[in-house]
Amino acid sequence: GESNSMAGRMFEFAAKNINWFPGHMASARQKIEERVRMVDLIIEVRDARIPHSSACAHLNHVAQRKKRIIIFNKADLITARETRAWSEYWAKQGEEVIYTDALKGDSLAQLSPLALSKRGLLKITDRVLLFMIIGVPNTGKSTVINALRGRGRNRSNKRDKLRSNVASTGARPGVTRQVSTIQFSFNPPAYLVDTPGMLSPRLQNDLGGYKLALTGAVKDAVVDPV
């Protein structure tokens, strides 16, 4: 209707003044492309409320043929009916997905190396496993990391070592600004390569950008007052 059209025009105007791809993202993207060849699996974290708009647009380019699992975080903010419908949709697309509320740690046991191995996503050998976790800002990526570390700490006697690295979290995007490595499992040994929230250098459409803004993927500070 008229109100939707007006909102779209306002966002289109504001979007011209948004720095969607700040310097730390460009630097991080280069580091991601350098390290992705070494990882065993990519974990992409999306917002369950906007499953398409919160996809990493550049992931197919950098991931190449790497196996991937998609974590739809904040699943507590959608209905059980929506979860079932979307789960069926992704299954038809051939995607491996998990729905979770990372604050509660729901379903994250499915991300253990052994569980991933049973799904055919991972081959466990004698060497250290390396996962890359990636997502647009404010999808709860750091919360997922801390929940996984908490599970690993509860299953390990080496608590002090696991406690040494904690991913910073916050309700505002851009909390993580560099690539870092965090251990989350000792048996078998596995590390997460944490990365900053990544946005596409260019919006594919106004509606997608509008949804990202509404869910907090873009800092208020980078949008000029309208």
Side-chain angles (χ1 to χ4, degrees):
E2 180 66 24
S3 60
N4 290 337
S5 177
M6 177 61 72
R9 289 198 297 271
M10 289 177 65
F11 179 78
E12 183 179 5
F13 178 79
K16 295 177 181 178
N17 297 314
I18 296 176
N19 181 10
W20 293 103
F21 204 69
H24 76 275
M25 287 189 185
S27 174
R29 178 169 177 170
Q30 181 179 356
K31 292 180 181 178
I32 289 170
E33 291 177 351
E34 292 171 354
R35 298 189 184 190
V36 73
R37 296 189 298 270
M38 300 182 292
V39 305
D40 299 284
L41 180 73
I42 291 176
I43 300 173
E44 181 186 3
V45 182
R46 299 189 193 180
D47 189 320
R49 297 169 294 177
I50 51 171
H52 285 296
S53 298
S54 59
C56 288
H58 71 290
L59 186 56
N60 289 335
H61 169 69
V62 300
Q64 300 172 357
R65 298 178 182 177
K66 294 292 181 180
K67 290 186 177 181
R68 173 185 66 171
I69 188 167
I70 304 173
I71 309 304
F72 288 103
N73 191 30
K74 306 184 183 182
D76 57 309
L77 301 180
I78 64 174
T79 66
R81 182 177 180 180
E82 289 173 318
T83 301
R84 287 193 298 270
W86 278 110
S87 295
E88 292 174 2
Y89 168 82
W90 294 116
K92 291 178 180 177
Q93 302 301 311
E95 297 283 4
E96 295 283 347
V97 305
I98 295 173
Y99 280 81
T100 187
D101 171 8
L103 287 173
K104 296 180 180 178
D106 294 346
S107 305
L108 290 181
Q110 298 178 54
L111 283 178
S112 71
L114 293 177
L116 292 169
S117 176
K118 291 179 180 178
R119 293 180 77 148
L121 290 171
L122 194 65
K123 184 177 180 180
I124 296 177
T125 63
D126 293 335
R127 64 178 177 80
V128 171
L129 299 169
L130 194 61
F131 301 170
M132 179 172 283
I133 186 163
I134 193 168
V136 303
N138 212 38
T139 52
K141 181 167 55 66
S142 294
T143 305
V144 170
I145 291 172
N146 289 333
L148 288 173
R149 289 185 63 261
R151 289 186 57 81
R153 185 169 61 240
N154 291 336
R155 287 160 174 75
S156 172
N157 292 325
K158 302 178 181 179
R159 298 187 177 188
D160 290 340
K161 190 171 183 180
L162 270 175
R163 193 178 291 116
S164 62
N165 288 319
V166 179
S168 299
T169 62
R172 297 175 64 83
V175 173
T176 304
R177 300 181 68 88
Q178 60 185 355
V179 176
S180 59
T181 305
I182 299 170
Q183 186 167 9
F184 76 100
S185 172
F186 273 94
N187 186 24
Y191 288 79
L192 289 168
V193 178
D194 186 18
T195 60
M198 299 291 291
L199 288 169
S200 173
R202 292 181 179 82
L203 290 176
Q204 298 299 316
N205 57 74
D206 292 342
L207 181 59
Y210 193 33
K211 291 177 180 179
L212 288 170
L214 287 173
T215 53
V218 181
K219 285 184 178 180
D220 295 339
V222 302
V223 183
D224 291 340
V226 177

